[in-house]
Amino acid sequence: MSQYHPLTPQEAIELARTLPDPFTADSNLECREIGDGNLNLVFHITDQNSDKSIIIKQALPYAKVVGESWPLSLVRARIEREILQEEYRLCPGMVPEVYHYDDDLALTVMEDLSDHVIMRKGLIEGTSYPLFAQHIGEFMARTLFFTSDLGMNQQLKKEKQGRFINPDQCKITEDLIFDEPYRIAEKNNYEPSIEDEAEALRTDGELHLEVALLREKFLTHGEALLHGDLHTGSIFVTPESTKVIDPEFAYYGPMGFDIGAVIANLLLNYASLPGSIKDSQALQEREALLLDMVRDVWTEFESRFRALWVNDLIDPMAKAPGYQDHYVQKVFRDTAGFAGAKMVRRIVGLAHVADIDTIEDAIERERAQRKALAIGKALIKSNRRLNTIGELLDTVSTAVSALKS
């Protein structure tokens, strides 16, 4: 079975039977293909005679969302598997455990997280996750610090950078986030009702300068090993647990890109809320909760990152007075800019978010789209001037207020 071909559900069952764990010889296995993403097959294998189950994820040699006309390297499966193992080492319990892999078949067998829900779905349904900011702050602080020149041997880091060169996936990001939303492009996707917004994106020179600077950072600043696609659709949660999945866009890049992705997707949900919550009091409470979560994500990351700097720093020159503050401020400003870029692309680019797309009322959906664009543009334009998370939230508030007026 080692020669590459996309697995059928029956072949996935046959593969599962060859594994030493978790199934036994008398297991009654059932398989469902549950992949709802754009790039992969995902098989859920369950034993009908017990409560044991696994996930088999196989990369396809093309983007499933487009078809074979968009070829992709299968190396991303090896990259995803290796970063899952690295993240599990740094944050055990916060990513699915890898049980088995086959690089020839571009597949990974891993822990089943069916007892969790995709965070985007949970947020849309109004569920609260009081420990999320603490968990994701810890995850990002540890994975980013210990894969950077601050927390690991610099020569070893350079070797790791070579293993995580990920050109196909990076090209997707470069095009969809930092290029196509700002020009007429075939893969752009938005409703005719916001054509004026799309035109404004294409003609805003101030915005283009800031996007060009962010793009330069994405292309050239290999600060740490990123997840690369850390949105609420790549996080499984319960109110007590957080599990990060799908790091197939991993590469060495600017830390703020991962942090910004988390914040952007919380703000996209925030922008969507009036489309689903009609009671004004309930709406205000939920909006406040989302904005508090944004604040807490950054605050938790910063406090843990600074603690690691004090206790685990290996770069002696990084002890220079003032350097930690300078470094953290740079990461924060990058975070704000990348968050804005992520929001803009989710409204006019190829792949949207269900938070907004599932709003049934067309007028409310358009309002949410315009709100998300207003916030995104404001964060992009102001990113190099922001100093605190409070200022970022003030920028969000000002953008929303200007839209209402």
Side-chain angles (χ1 to χ4, degrees):
M1 195 185 286
S2 288
Q3 186 172 358
Y4 181 83
H5 62 281
L7 295 185
T8 66
Q10 184 57 41
E11 287 175 322
I13 288 176
E14 293 171 6
L15 172 63
R17 290 192 187 282
T18 68
L19 303 177
D21 292 308
F23 305 123
T24 60
D26 62 347
S27 294
N28 179 17
L29 301 186
E30 183 178 276
C31 176
R32 290 187 302 128
E33 207 283 296
I34 60 172
D36 60 356
N38 298 324
L39 305 176
N40 308 287
L41 297 173
V42 182
F43 300 99
H44 185 216
I45 313 288
T46 56
D47 179 10
Q48 301 305 294
N49 296 336
S50 71
D51 60 354
K52 295 177 179 178
S53 58
I54 59 171
I55 294 293
I56 299 178
K57 181 175 181 179
Q58 184 182 36
L60 291 170
Y62 54 83
K64 190 165 64 172
V65 68
V66 175
E68 295 185 15
S69 63
W70 189 348
L72 293 173
S73 170
L74 295 173
V75 171
R76 73 182 192 274
R78 189 268 303 165
I79 289 175
E80 177 175 10
R81 183 258 304 171
E82 289 190 1
I83 193 174
L84 280 174
Q85 292 171 318
E86 179 75 356
E87 289 171 344
Y88 192 87
R89 180 183 69 83
L90 293 171
C91 297
M94 291 200 64
V95 297
E97 184 175 2
V98 172
Y99 298 142
H100 174 78
Y101 61 90
D102 186 323
D103 288 341
D104 292 332
L105 282 172
L107 66 80
T108 302
V109 181
M110 66 186 84
E111 178 184 357
D112 177 22
L113 301 178
S114 295
D115 56 339
H116 290 56
V117 300
I118 290 291
M119 187 175 186
R120 189 181 308 284
K121 180 176 183 291
L123 289 177
I124 292 171
E125 293 173 350
T127 308
S128 296
Y129 299 104
L131 299 180
F132 171 72
Q134 175 183 330
H135 291 165
I136 203 68
E138 176 80 3
F139 175 83
M140 293 189 299
R142 291 187 62 82
T143 57
L144 297 175
F145 182 88
F146 285 117
T147 61
S148 76
D149 292 306
L150 301 168
M152 72 179 300
N153 175 273
Q154 288 85 12
Q155 283 64 49
L156 179 58
K157 174 179 172 249
K158 291 177 176 64
E159 292 177 11
K160 279 190 173 289
Q161 282 180 287
R163 288 198 62 78
F164 288 98
I165 296 292
N166 201 355
D168 282 358
Q169 306 305 99
C170 286
K171 176 63 173 171
I172 293 173
T173 300
E174 292 153 17
D175 289 350
L176 297 188
I177 298 178
F178 302 112
D179 178 8
E180 292 174 358
Y182 307 98
R183 62 180 177 85
I184 295 174
E186 182 180 355
K187 291 195 287 290
N188 284 344
N189 175 30
Y190 55 86
E191 296 184 58
S193 59
I194 60 167
E195 177 61 45
D196 60 318
E197 293 280 7
E199 172 65 19
L201 290 173
R202 296 193 289 267
T203 57
D204 190 332
E206 178 189 358
L207 186 69
H208 290 185
L209 171 60
E210 297 302 327
V211 172
L213 292 170
L214 291 166
R215 178 180 169 89
E216 177 194 5
K217 290 179 179 180
F218 185 85
L219 290 169
T220 65
H221 290 205
E223 292 174 347
L225 182 56
L226 307 186
H227 176 283
D229 198 26
L230 194 55
H231 55 75
T232 50
S234 295
I235 301 171
F236 271 109
V237 286
T238 72
E240 298 80 30
S241 173
T242 302
K243 304 264 191 179
V244 175
I245 64 168
D246 289 352
E248 62 192 306
F249 282 77
Y251 90 115
Y252 266 84
M255 296 182 184
F257 189 76
D258 269 4
I259 311 164
V262 175
I263 287 176
N265 281 267
L266 295 176
L267 290 173
L268 285 164
N269 184 263
Y270 163 81
S272 77
L273 292 175
S276 58
I277 302 176
K278 301 309 176 186
D279 179 79
S280 60
Q281 180 66 28
L283 175 61
Q284 290 178 13
E285 291 175 357
R286 188 67 181 180
E287 287 178 333
L289 184 147
L290 264 295
L291 295 178
D292 284 346
M293 192 180 294
V294 169
R295 181 190 304 274
D296 291 345
V297 165
W298 172 259
T299 302
E300 295 285 352
F301 164 78
E302 180 181 3
S303 64
R304 284 163 169 74
F305 189 82
R306 287 184 181 273
L308 293 171
W309 192 301
V310 170
N311 297 317
D312 296 280
L313 186 70
I314 69 165
D315 184 352
M317 291 307 296
K319 297 177 182 178
Y323 183 59
Q324 183 189 125
D325 289 341
H326 170 83
Y327 197 104
V328 171
Q329 181 187 67
K330 175 191 64 175
V331 172
F332 173 71
R333 289 174 172 172
D334 288 353
T335 293
F338 287 128
K342 283 275 194 176
M343 294 184 73
V344 168
R345 84 88 156 185
R346 288 294 192 177
I347 303 302
V348 300
L350 175 65
H352 296 179
V353 291
D355 314 56
I356 291 175
D357 276 9
T358 55
I359 298 173
E360 293 184 2
D361 185 279
I363 294 175
E364 289 292 348
R365 189 169 61 251
E366 179 184 340
R367 286 175 179 161
Q369 291 164 349
R370 291 180 182 273
K371 182 187 290 188
L373 287 172
I375 295 170
K377 289 188 293 184
L379 292 178
I380 292 170
K381 289 184 175 183
S382 64
N383 79 93
R384 289 188 290 152
R385 301 190 300 272
L386 296 177
N387 294 305
T388 68
I389 189 63
E391 291 179 6
L392 184 152
L393 292 172
D394 288 344
T395 301
V396 172
S397 176
T398 300
V400 172
S401 297
L403 197 64
K404 291 178 180 177
S405 63

